[in-house]
């Protein structure tokens, strides 16, 4: 059994030309030659590219884009000049409508190939993908690492794909317009007073990351500087620690976490909408951005934002909405406009009349639960992260919602316990799991509970298709499916599916 000559079609450094036909999970272009698959980063569907093999395996190879021989009809000039280095927006070089078409097709393909659903059925139930009006500036949250470039200049920006080298860019095209000015103010302050950026390699320096959040409906802005702060650093500050906030030192206000902090605050609050300025202490030598200790140094501890319900026909905003109070550490949907569309659809798919008992599994801070509560008799939310459940309860209270109850724990443990031991039932179950999908035990209990309808919100069409197969084999019928684009420029695909119990 010697090696066949054509075992490996290509070897390292081979250069060849291929047409790109698909996009891989990491956003790379996929071309095929015979039975062989080539992954070419930065190539988009329709491109004919010349590329060089970097790593060859038996059935596939990774190749580097050398030249676009014939550009694809859907290739566009990306707005962000850093997009290839950053890797955050893998398909920004593709026309937005083509991105949407790709995402819709991906959902359908996965339902057919992974879920084993008939192609005709999938075509019949799939509604048109919902895109954004503007595929840029849609994110309400950004986290910029602070560091130095090769010449030692202080910079803020993003990590170059899969590294921890910071590339200077204070204007990410997905973020709020104000981000740039805020970052430049902080960098100028650091330069003026020689405040060092944190250095991952030595663990020294002060400023690690800058988190900025903006309420898109409230226009409120929050800035949180993540710092490698030690008590003794504060004492070195030249500005008196008492000042006019002296009495509130324990709450953080008036405490000097950053040299010449008052001057910095004075500059930051010139930005329209500035509502909260805080520091978050993180002294751990890890990749985790945020620490656990937050001190507000100016303004409020939290900003507000409202998620409105939308009309399903034209997706116009209604005046019904849920107000969320967001701290630097809270989870909150990063694209609130598309979230409104997605969760309004979830409500529509749930088909509530006011009499139903509804479960919202993987409920996070309860966004969907609180949406559903207005139309249901009772909503139960389940979420593994206890801080998120605290936020969910707080948000329910703020909004005067009394028929929502939240449990901390894993969906696959809480659901069987509540159903089998306490006999709590369900008319409708909504799930919004992370990418790995639902746990088998969770799906099993859902089937036992026999709700009339199941609404599945998913951020990974492959695990969605896998789980839908289990649910449909267990007595449910695929009724509606729709992709909603939450992350333009990226390969992420969000899908919502409505299932109905078959009458047996
Ligand atoms: N709809 C939510 C977001 C859902 S994201 C909102 O708008 O807030 C998925 C959530 O599932 C995350 O909050 C994650 O913490 C949670 N999670 C992950 N595994 C879980 C499990 N096994 N059981 C319950 N929750 C889980």
């Amino acid at each position: 059994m010697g090696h066949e000559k054509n075992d490996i079609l290509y070897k390292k450094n081979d250069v060849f030309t291929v047409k790109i036909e698909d996009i891989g999970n990491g956003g790379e272009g996929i071309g095929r030659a015979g039975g062989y698959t080539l992954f070419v980063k930065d190539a988009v569907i329709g491109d004919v590219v010349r590329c060089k093999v970097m790593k060859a395996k038996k059935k596939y190879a990774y190749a580097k884009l050398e030249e676009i021989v014939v550009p694809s009809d859907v290739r566009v000039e990306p707005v962000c000049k850093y997009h290839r280095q950053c890797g955050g927006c893998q398909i920004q070089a593709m026309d937005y409508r083509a991105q949407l078409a790709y995402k819709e097709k991906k959902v359908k393909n996965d339902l057919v190939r992974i879920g084993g659903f008939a192609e005709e059925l999938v075509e019949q139930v799939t509604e048109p993908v919902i895109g954004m009006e503007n595929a840029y500036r849609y994110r309400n949250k950004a986290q910029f690492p602070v560091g130095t470039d090769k010449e030692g200049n202080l910079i803020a920006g993003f990590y170059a794909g899969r590294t921890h080298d910071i590339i200077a860019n204070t204007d990410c095209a997905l973020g709020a317009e104000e981000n740039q000015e805020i970052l430049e103010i902080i960098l100028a302050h650091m330069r003026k007073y020689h405040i060092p950026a944190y250095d991952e390699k030595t663990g020294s320096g002060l400023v690690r990351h800058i988190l900025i959040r903006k309420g898109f409906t409230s226009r409120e802005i929050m800035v949180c500087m993540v710092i490698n702060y030690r008590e003794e650093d504060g004492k070195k500050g030249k500005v008196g620690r008492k000042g006019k906030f002296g009495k509130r030192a324990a709450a953080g206000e008036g405490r000097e976490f950053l040299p010449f902090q008052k001057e910095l605050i004075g500059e930051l609050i010139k930005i329209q909408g500035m509502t909260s300025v805080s520091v978050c202490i993180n002294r751990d030598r890890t990749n985790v951005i945020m620490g656990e200790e937050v001190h507000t140094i100016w303004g409020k501890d939290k900003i507000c934002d409202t998620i409105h319900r939308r009309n399903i026909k034209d997706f116009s905003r209604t005046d019904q909405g849920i107000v969320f109070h967001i701290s630097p550490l809270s989870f909150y949907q990063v694209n609130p406009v598309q979230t409104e569309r997605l969760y309004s659809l979830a409500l529509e798919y749930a088909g509530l009349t006011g009499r139903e008992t509804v479960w919202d599994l993987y409920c996070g801070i309860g966004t969907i639960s609180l949406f559903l509560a207005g139309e249901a008799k009772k909503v139960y939310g389940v979420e593994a992260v206890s801080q998120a459940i605290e936020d969910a309860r707080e948000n329910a209270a703020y909004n005067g919602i009394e028929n929502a109850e939240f449990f901390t724990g894993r969906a696959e443990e809480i659901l069987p316990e509540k159903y089998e031991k306490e006999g709590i039932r369900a008319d409708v179950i909504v799930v919004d799991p992370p990418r790995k999908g639902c746990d088998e035990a969770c799906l099993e209990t859902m089937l036992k509970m026999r709700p009339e309808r199941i609404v599945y919100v998913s951020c990974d069409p492959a695990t969605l298709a896998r789980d839908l197969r289990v649910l449909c084999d267990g007595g449910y019928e695929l009724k509606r499916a729709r992709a909603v684009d939450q992350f333009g420029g990226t390969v992420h695909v969000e899908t919502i599916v409505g299932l109905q119990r078959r009458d047996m």
Side-chain angles (χ1 to χ4, degrees), residues 324 331-333 339 343 360-369 382-385 388 407 409-414 431-437 439 457 459:
F324 291 89
F331 171 83
Y332 184 63
Q333 293 286 339
T339 296
Y343 290 177
D360 176 19
L361 307 178
Y362 313 88
C363 72
I365 58 164
T367 323
I368 300 180
S369 322
V382 183
E383 160 64 42
V385 175
F407 304 113
R410 293 173 182 278
E412 59 273 24
E413 286 162 16
I414 300 280
V431 299
D432 184 6
R435 291 176 72 164
K436 67 175 199 263
D439 190 274
V457 180
C459 53

mmCIF file of all heavy atoms in Angstrom, residues 324 331-333 339 343 360-369 382-385 388 407 409-414 431-437 439 457 459, ligand 1:
data_model
loop_
_atom_site.group_PDB
_atom_site.id
_atom_site.type_symbol
_atom_site.label_atom_id
_atom_site.label_comp_id
_atom_site.label_asym_id
_atom_site.label_seq_id
_atom_site.Cartn_x
_atom_site.Cartn_y
_atom_site.Cartn_z
ATOM 1 N N PHE A 324 -33.852 48.630 29.290
ATOM 2 C CA PHE A 324 -32.776 47.871 29.921
ATOM 3 C C PHE A 324 -31.784 48.815 30.579
ATOM 4 O O PHE A 324 -31.466 49.861 30.024
ATOM 5 C CB PHE A 324 -32.053 46.993 28.890
ATOM 6 C CG PHE A 324 -32.913 45.873 28.407
ATOM 7 C CD1 PHE A 324 -33.734 46.042 27.310
ATOM 8 C CD2 PHE A 324 -32.935 44.672 29.090
ATOM 9 C CE1 PHE A 324 -34.566 45.024 26.889
ATOM 10 C CE2 PHE A 324 -33.764 43.647 28.677
ATOM 11 C CZ PHE A 324 -34.585 43.821 27.571
ATOM 12 N N PHE A 331 -24.417 41.748 30.149
ATOM 13 C CA PHE A 331 -24.603 41.311 28.775
ATOM 14 C C PHE A 331 -25.717 42.184 28.182
ATOM 15 O O PHE A 331 -26.644 42.558 28.879
ATOM 16 C CB PHE A 331 -25.031 39.834 28.754
ATOM 17 C CG PHE A 331 -25.455 39.386 27.383
ATOM 18 C CD1 PHE A 331 -24.505 38.994 26.453
ATOM 19 C CD2 PHE A 331 -26.790 39.411 27.004
ATOM 20 C CE1 PHE A 331 -24.894 38.624 25.174
ATOM 21 C CE2 PHE A 331 -27.176 39.047 25.722
ATOM 22 C CZ PHE A 331 -26.226 38.647 24.811
ATOM 23 N N TYR A 332 -25.581 42.535 26.924
ATOM 24 C CA TYR A 332 -26.671 43.225 26.235
ATOM 25 C C TYR A 332 -26.479 42.985 24.749
ATOM 26 O O TYR A 332 -25.352 42.922 24.271
ATOM 27 C CB TYR A 332 -26.636 44.733 26.555
ATOM 28 C CG TYR A 332 -27.784 45.528 25.963
ATOM 29 C CD1 TYR A 332 -29.099 45.261 26.346
ATOM 30 C CD2 TYR A 332 -27.554 46.529 25.024
ATOM 31 C CE1 TYR A 332 -30.147 45.987 25.807
ATOM 32 C CE2 TYR A 332 -28.607 47.260 24.487
ATOM 33 C CZ TYR A 332 -29.900 46.984 24.880
ATOM 34 O OH TYR A 332 -30.947 47.698 24.344
ATOM 35 N N GLN A 333 -27.577 42.824 24.035
ATOM 36 C CA GLN A 333 -27.486 42.577 22.598
ATOM 37 C C GLN A 333 -26.684 43.689 21.918
ATOM 38 O O GLN A 333 -26.947 44.854 22.176
ATOM 39 C CB GLN A 333 -28.898 42.528 22.008
ATOM 40 C CG GLN A 333 -29.704 41.336 22.489
ATOM 41 C CD GLN A 333 -29.248 40.043 21.858
ATOM 42 O OE1 GLN A 333 -28.606 40.040 20.808
ATOM 43 N NE2 GLN A 333 -29.564 38.935 22.496
ATOM 44 N N THR A 339 -31.967 43.180 16.722
ATOM 45 C CA THR A 339 -32.544 42.426 17.840
ATOM 46 C C THR A 339 -34.041 42.697 17.941
ATOM 47 O O THR A 339 -34.834 41.787 18.188
ATOM 48 C CB THR A 339 -31.843 42.806 19.156
ATOM 49 O OG1 THR A 339 -30.490 42.408 19.065
ATOM 50 C CG2 THR A 339 -32.479 42.120 20.355
ATOM 51 N N TYR A 343 -36.521 39.590 17.765
ATOM 52 C CA TYR A 343 -37.344 39.221 18.908
ATOM 53 C C TYR A 343 -38.819 39.543 18.674
ATOM 54 O O TYR A 343 -39.701 38.886 19.254
ATOM 55 C CB TYR A 343 -36.795 39.853 20.191
ATOM 56 C CG TYR A 343 -35.473 39.230 20.627
ATOM 57 C CD1 TYR A 343 -34.777 39.707 21.729
ATOM 58 C CD2 TYR A 343 -34.911 38.146 19.942
ATOM 59 C CE1 TYR A 343 -33.565 39.135 22.130
ATOM 60 C CE2 TYR A 343 -33.714 37.581 20.324
ATOM 61 C CZ TYR A 343 -33.028 38.077 21.423
ATOM 62 O OH TYR A 343 -31.841 37.510 21.810
ATOM 63 N N ASP A 360 -38.594 30.398 28.363
ATOM 64 C CA ASP A 360 -37.556 31.009 27.538
ATOM 65 C C ASP A 360 -36.232 30.446 28.042
ATOM 66 O O ASP A 360 -35.722 30.866 29.082
ATOM 67 C CB ASP A 360 -37.617 32.546 27.683
ATOM 68 C CG ASP A 360 -36.495 33.253 26.920
ATOM 69 O OD1 ASP A 360 -35.906 32.633 26.010
ATOM 70 O OD2 ASP A 360 -36.223 34.429 27.234
ATOM 71 N N LEU A 361 -35.718 29.446 27.310
ATOM 72 C CA LEU A 361 -34.484 28.783 27.746
ATOM 73 C C LEU A 361 -33.269 29.492 27.164
ATOM 74 O O LEU A 361 -33.311 29.952 26.033
ATOM 75 C CB LEU A 361 -34.490 27.318 27.312
ATOM 76 C CG LEU A 361 -35.736 26.521 27.737
ATOM 77 C CD1 LEU A 361 -35.654 25.091 27.223
ATOM 78 C CD2 LEU A 361 -35.895 26.542 29.252
ATOM 79 N N TYR A 362 -32.177 29.546 27.948
ATOM 80 C CA TYR A 362 -30.981 30.310 27.583
ATOM 81 C C TYR A 362 -31.379 31.791 27.484
ATOM 82 O O TYR A 362 -31.129 32.451 26.483
ATOM 83 C CB TYR A 362 -30.389 29.833 26.249
ATOM 84 C CG TYR A 362 -30.248 28.331 26.143
ATOM 85 C CD1 TYR A 362 -31.287 27.533 25.664
ATOM 86 C CD2 TYR A 362 -29.062 27.710 26.528
ATOM 87 C CE1 TYR A 362 -31.165 26.159 25.575
ATOM 88 C CE2 TYR A 362 -28.924 26.330 26.430
ATOM 89 C CZ TYR A 362 -29.989 25.559 25.957
ATOM 90 O OH TYR A 362 -29.856 24.196 25.857
ATOM 91 N N CYS A 363 -32.006 32.291 28.529
ATOM 92 C CA CYS A 363 -32.688 33.592 28.425
ATOM 93 C C CYS A 363 -31.773 34.789 28.607
ATOM 94 O O CYS A 363 -32.208 35.925 28.399
ATOM 95 C CB CYS A 363 -33.841 33.658 29.418
ATOM 96 S SG CYS A 363 -33.272 33.807 31.130
ATOM 97 N N GLY A 364 -30.493 34.594 28.992
ATOM 98 C CA GLY A 364 -29.598 35.744 29.167
ATOM 99 C C GLY A 364 -30.192 36.732 30.167
ATOM 100 O O GLY A 364 -30.644 36.359 31.251
ATOM 101 N N ILE A 365 -30.219 38.014 29.790
ATOM 102 C CA ILE A 365 -30.770 39.038 30.674
ATOM 103 C C ILE A 365 -32.286 39.158 30.505
ATOM 104 O O ILE A 365 -32.896 40.129 30.939
ATOM 105 C CB ILE A 365 -30.108 40.410 30.433
ATOM 106 C CG1 ILE A 365 -30.277 40.844 28.965
ATOM 107 C CG2 ILE A 365 -28.642 40.366 30.822
ATOM 108 C CD1 ILE A 365 -30.009 42.318 28.730
ATOM 109 N N GLY A 366 -32.877 38.167 29.823
ATOM 110 C CA GLY A 366 -34.335 38.099 29.759
ATOM 111 C C GLY A 366 -34.971 38.949 28.669
ATOM 112 O O GLY A 366 -36.163 39.255 28.736
ATOM 113 N N THR A 367 -34.200 39.299 27.656
ATOM 114 C CA THR A 367 -34.754 40.160 26.595
ATOM 115 C C THR A 367 -36.008 39.522 25.990
ATOM 116 O O THR A 367 -37.061 40.167 25.897
ATOM 117 C CB THR A 367 -33.712 40.397 25.473
ATOM 118 O OG1 THR A 367 -32.424 40.511 26.062
ATOM 119 C CG2 THR A 367 -34.032 41.651 24.690
ATOM 120 N N ILE A 368 -35.891 38.266 25.583
ATOM 121 C CA ILE A 368 -37.039 37.608 24.952
ATOM 122 C C ILE A 368 -38.143 37.383 25.986
ATOM 123 O O ILE A 368 -39.315 37.653 25.718
ATOM 124 C CB ILE A 368 -36.631 36.265 24.300
ATOM 125 C CG1 ILE A 368 -35.570 36.509 23.225
ATOM 126 C CG2 ILE A 368 -37.842 35.557 23.701
ATOM 127 C CD1 ILE A 368 -35.086 35.247 22.520
ATOM 128 N N SER A 369 -37.761 36.930 27.182
ATOM 129 C CA SER A 369 -38.766 36.659 28.225
ATOM 130 C C SER A 369 -39.641 37.883 28.473
ATOM 131 O O SER A 369 -40.864 37.777 28.565
ATOM 132 C CB SER A 369 -38.105 36.294 29.552
ATOM 133 O OG SER A 369 -36.973 35.500 29.383
ATOM 134 N N VAL A 382 -34.731 30.651 31.919
ATOM 135 C CA VAL A 382 -33.643 29.845 32.487
ATOM 136 C C VAL A 382 -32.319 30.265 31.858
ATOM 137 O O VAL A 382 -32.218 30.384 30.632
ATOM 138 C CB VAL A 382 -33.855 28.330 32.217
ATOM 139 C CG1 VAL A 382 -32.749 27.512 32.888
ATOM 140 C CG2 VAL A 382 -35.227 27.869 32.679
ATOM 141 N N GLU A 383 -31.324 30.476 32.705
ATOM 142 C CA GLU A 383 -30.032 30.954 32.226
ATOM 143 C C GLU A 383 -28.935 30.485 33.175
ATOM 144 O O GLU A 383 -29.113 30.505 34.390
ATOM 145 C CB GLU A 383 -30.084 32.493 32.143
ATOM 146 C CG GLU A 383 -28.758 33.218 32.131
ATOM 147 C CD GLU A 383 -27.901 32.917 30.915
ATOM 148 O OE1 GLU A 383 -28.445 32.862 29.795
ATOM 149 O OE2 GLU A 383 -26.687 32.717 31.086
ATOM 150 N N ALA A 384 -27.781 30.086 32.578
ATOM 151 C CA ALA A 384 -26.697 29.519 33.386
ATOM 152 C C ALA A 384 -25.913 30.576 34.187
ATOM 153 O O ALA A 384 -25.378 30.272 35.247
ATOM 154 C CB ALA A 384 -25.742 28.738 32.485
ATOM 155 N N VAL A 385 -25.831 31.787 33.672
ATOM 156 C CA VAL A 385 -25.011 32.815 34.335
ATOM 157 C C VAL A 385 -25.856 33.597 35.339
ATOM 158 O O VAL A 385 -26.822 34.261 34.964
ATOM 159 C CB VAL A 385 -24.383 33.770 33.294
ATOM 160 C CG1 VAL A 385 -23.630 34.909 33.963
ATOM 161 C CG2 VAL A 385 -23.478 33.004 32.345
ATOM 162 N N ALA A 388 -26.510 37.376 34.897
ATOM 163 C CA ALA A 388 -27.505 37.685 33.857
ATOM 164 C C ALA A 388 -28.920 37.552 34.431
ATOM 165 O O ALA A 388 -29.800 38.367 34.134
ATOM 166 C CB ALA A 388 -27.313 36.766 32.652
ATOM 167 N N PHE A 407 -34.884 31.456 36.642
ATOM 168 C CA PHE A 407 -34.101 30.449 37.357
ATOM 169 C C PHE A 407 -32.668 30.445 36.853
ATOM 170 O O PHE A 407 -32.436 30.466 35.640
ATOM 171 C CB PHE A 407 -34.667 29.042 37.110
ATOM 172 C CG PHE A 407 -36.122 28.904 37.464
ATOM 173 C CD1 PHE A 407 -37.060 28.673 36.463
ATOM 174 C CD2 PHE A 407 -36.556 29.009 38.782
ATOM 175 C CE1 PHE A 407 -38.408 28.534 36.779
ATOM 176 C CE2 PHE A 407 -37.898 28.874 39.100
ATOM 177 C CZ PHE A 407 -38.824 28.639 38.104
ATOM 178 N N GLY A 409 -29.366 28.351 36.243
ATOM 179 C CA GLY A 409 -28.935 26.961 36.109
ATOM 180 C C GLY A 409 -28.934 26.556 34.654
ATOM 181 O O GLY A 409 -29.308 27.340 33.781
ATOM 182 N N ARG A 410 -28.485 25.330 34.437
ATOM 183 C CA ARG A 410 -28.450 24.842 33.059
ATOM 184 C C ARG A 410 -29.845 24.431 32.624
ATOM 185 O O ARG A 410 -30.561 23.754 33.383
ATOM 186 C CB ARG A 410 -27.516 23.632 32.949
ATOM 187 C CG ARG A 410 -26.092 23.973 33.174
ATOM 188 C CD ARG A 410 -25.253 22.705 33.209
ATOM 189 N NE ARG A 410 -23.877 23.021 33.476
ATOM 190 C CZ ARG A 410 -23.026 23.419 32.525
ATOM 191 N NH1 ARG A 410 -23.408 23.500 31.271
ATOM 192 N NH2 ARG A 410 -21.787 23.720 32.832
ATOM 193 N N ALA A 411 -30.185 24.786 31.397
ATOM 194 C CA ALA A 411 -31.510 24.473 30.866
ATOM 195 C C ALA A 411 -31.781 22.976 30.979
ATOM 196 O O ALA A 411 -32.879 22.557 31.359
ATOM 197 C CB ALA A 411 -31.604 24.922 29.411
ATOM 198 N N GLU A 412 -30.743 22.151 30.696
ATOM 199 C CA GLU A 412 -30.928 20.699 30.693
ATOM 200 C C GLU A 412 -31.121 20.138 32.102
ATOM 201 O O GLU A 412 -31.513 18.984 32.259
ATOM 202 C CB GLU A 412 -29.771 20.004 29.961
ATOM 203 C CG GLU A 412 -28.372 20.242 30.515
ATOM 204 C CD GLU A 412 -27.696 21.488 29.944
ATOM 205 O OE1 GLU A 412 -28.407 22.409 29.491
ATOM 206 O OE2 GLU A 412 -26.454 21.539 29.964
ATOM 207 N N GLU A 413 -30.825 20.946 33.121
ATOM 208 C CA GLU A 413 -31.067 20.487 34.498
ATOM 209 C C GLU A 413 -32.333 21.112 35.077
ATOM 210 O O GLU A 413 -33.138 20.438 35.704
ATOM 211 C CB GLU A 413 -29.847 20.816 35.377
ATOM 212 C CG GLU A 413 -28.675 19.896 35.077
ATOM 213 C CD GLU A 413 -27.352 20.428 35.581
ATOM 214 O OE1 GLU A 413 -27.341 21.354 36.421
ATOM 215 O OE2 GLU A 413 -26.312 19.924 35.108
ATOM 216 N N ILE A 414 -32.490 22.409 34.864
ATOM 217 C CA ILE A 414 -33.652 23.119 35.434
ATOM 218 C C ILE A 414 -34.963 22.629 34.815
ATOM 219 O O ILE A 414 -35.939 22.363 35.517
ATOM 220 C CB ILE A 414 -33.523 24.647 35.203
ATOM 221 C CG1 ILE A 414 -32.260 25.186 35.866
ATOM 222 C CG2 ILE A 414 -34.780 25.370 35.685
ATOM 223 C CD1 ILE A 414 -32.340 25.440 37.342
ATOM 224 N N VAL A 431 -36.218 28.826 22.658
ATOM 225 C CA VAL A 431 -34.812 28.598 23.031
ATOM 226 C C VAL A 431 -33.921 29.527 22.213
ATOM 227 O O VAL A 431 -34.208 29.814 21.056
ATOM 228 C CB VAL A 431 -34.361 27.120 22.814
ATOM 229 C CG1 VAL A 431 -35.182 26.170 23.666
ATOM 230 C CG2 VAL A 431 -34.429 26.709 21.344
ATOM 231 N N ASP A 432 -32.850 30.004 22.848
ATOM 232 C CA ASP A 432 -31.869 30.870 22.174
ATOM 233 C C ASP A 432 -30.483 30.470 22.664
ATOM 234 O O ASP A 432 -29.808 31.218 23.367
ATOM 235 C CB ASP A 432 -32.178 32.345 22.519
ATOM 236 C CG ASP A 432 -31.275 33.334 21.778
ATOM 237 O OD1 ASP A 432 -30.496 32.901 20.912
ATOM 238 O OD2 ASP A 432 -31.360 34.543 22.070
ATOM 239 N N PRO A 433 -30.060 29.231 22.311
ATOM 240 C CA PRO A 433 -28.820 28.693 22.898
ATOM 241 C C PRO A 433 -27.567 29.288 22.261
ATOM 242 O O PRO A 433 -27.640 29.895 21.199
ATOM 243 C CB PRO A 433 -28.913 27.194 22.573
ATOM 244 C CG PRO A 433 -29.684 27.138 21.306
ATOM 245 C CD PRO A 433 -30.674 28.273 21.375
ATOM 246 N N PRO A 434 -26.400 29.081 22.916
ATOM 247 C CA PRO A 434 -25.139 29.461 22.280
ATOM 248 C C PRO A 434 -24.854 28.565 21.079
ATOM 249 O O PRO A 434 -25.649 27.674 20.772
ATOM 250 C CB PRO A 434 -24.110 29.261 23.394
ATOM 251 C CG PRO A 434 -24.732 28.312 24.356
ATOM 252 C CD PRO A 434 -26.210 28.481 24.235
ATOM 253 N N ARG A 435 -23.707 28.759 20.442
ATOM 254 C CA ARG A 435 -23.451 28.084 19.155
ATOM 255 C C ARG A 435 -23.523 26.574 19.221
ATOM 256 O O ARG A 435 -23.861 25.920 18.233
ATOM 257 C CB ARG A 435 -22.095 28.516 18.598
ATOM 258 C CG ARG A 435 -22.134 29.972 18.171
ATOM 259 C CD ARG A 435 -20.796 30.448 17.724
ATOM 260 N NE ARG A 435 -20.462 29.852 16.433
ATOM 261 C CZ ARG A 435 -19.504 30.312 15.655
ATOM 262 N NH1 ARG A 435 -18.782 31.342 16.026
ATOM 263 N NH2 ARG A 435 -19.251 29.724 14.512
ATOM 264 N N LYS A 436 -23.204 26.005 20.369
ATOM 265 C CA LYS A 436 -23.214 24.540 20.396
ATOM 266 C C LYS A 436 -24.620 23.957 20.419
ATOM 267 O O LYS A 436 -24.805 22.743 20.329
ATOM 268 C CB LYS A 436 -22.356 24.006 21.525
ATOM 269 C CG LYS A 436 -22.858 24.287 22.919
ATOM 270 C CD LYS A 436 -21.941 23.559 23.890
ATOM 271 C CE LYS A 436 -22.552 23.384 25.232
ATOM 272 N NZ LYS A 436 -22.287 24.255 26.287
ATOM 273 N N GLY A 437 -25.630 24.804 20.487
ATOM 274 C CA GLY A 437 -27.000 24.324 20.404
ATOM 275 C C GLY A 437 -27.519 23.816 21.741
ATOM 276 O O GLY A 437 -26.926 24.069 22.789
ATOM 277 N N ASP A 439 -28.599 21.057 24.629
ATOM 278 C CA ASP A 439 -28.168 19.774 25.171
ATOM 279 C C ASP A 439 -29.252 18.723 24.872
ATOM 280 O O ASP A 439 -30.437 19.028 24.856
ATOM 281 C CB ASP A 439 -28.005 19.941 26.682
ATOM 282 C CG ASP A 439 -27.340 18.756 27.315
ATOM 283 O OD1 ASP A 439 -28.059 17.784 27.658
ATOM 284 O OD2 ASP A 439 -26.115 18.805 27.466
ATOM 285 N N VAL A 457 -34.375 30.171 18.312
ATOM 286 C CA VAL A 457 -33.523 31.260 17.833
ATOM 287 C C VAL A 457 -32.100 30.738 17.896
ATOM 288 O O VAL A 457 -31.678 30.226 18.935
ATOM 289 C CB VAL A 457 -33.669 32.514 18.726
ATOM 290 C CG1 VAL A 457 -32.774 33.647 18.216
ATOM 291 C CG2 VAL A 457 -35.124 32.968 18.796
ATOM 292 N N CYS A 459 -27.760 30.954 16.641
ATOM 293 C CA CYS A 459 -26.649 31.694 16.034
ATOM 294 C C CYS A 459 -25.730 30.734 15.281
ATOM 295 O O CYS A 459 -24.633 31.110 14.884
ATOM 296 C CB CYS A 459 -25.887 32.480 17.086
ATOM 297 S SG CYS A 459 -25.348 31.486 18.464
HETATM 298 N N1 LIG B 1 -31.787 35.819 24.529
HETATM 299 C C1 LIG B 1 -30.715 36.182 25.410
HETATM 300 C C2 LIG B 1 -29.343 35.825 24.863
HETATM 301 C C3 LIG B 1 -29.080 34.367 24.684
HETATM 302 S S1 LIG B 1 -27.387 34.026 24.377
HETATM 303 C C4 LIG B 1 -30.772 37.693 25.680
HETATM 304 O O1 LIG B 1 -31.274 38.433 24.865
HETATM 305 O O2 LIG B 1 -30.255 38.111 26.702
HETATM 306 C C5 LIG B 1 -27.247 32.396 25.048
HETATM 307 C C6 LIG B 1 -27.249 32.343 26.558
HETATM 308 O O3 LIG B 1 -27.227 30.985 26.962
HETATM 309 C C7 LIG B 1 -26.061 32.982 27.237
HETATM 310 O O4 LIG B 1 -26.541 33.970 28.119
HETATM 311 C C8 LIG B 1 -25.385 31.832 28.011
HETATM 312 O O5 LIG B 1 -24.882 32.256 29.257
HETATM 313 C C9 LIG B 1 -26.515 30.889 28.195
HETATM 314 N N2 LIG B 1 -26.206 29.452 28.370
HETATM 315 C C10 LIG B 1 -25.197 28.740 27.833
HETATM 316 N N3 LIG B 1 -25.315 27.428 28.132
HETATM 317 C C11 LIG B 1 -26.442 27.307 28.882
HETATM 318 C C12 LIG B 1 -27.113 26.197 29.487
HETATM 319 N N4 LIG B 1 -26.642 24.956 29.361
HETATM 320 N N5 LIG B 1 -28.259 26.443 30.150
HETATM 321 C C13 LIG B 1 -28.737 27.692 30.273
HETATM 322 N N6 LIG B 1 -28.147 28.778 29.734
HETATM 323 C C14 LIG B 1 -27.009 28.589 29.048
#
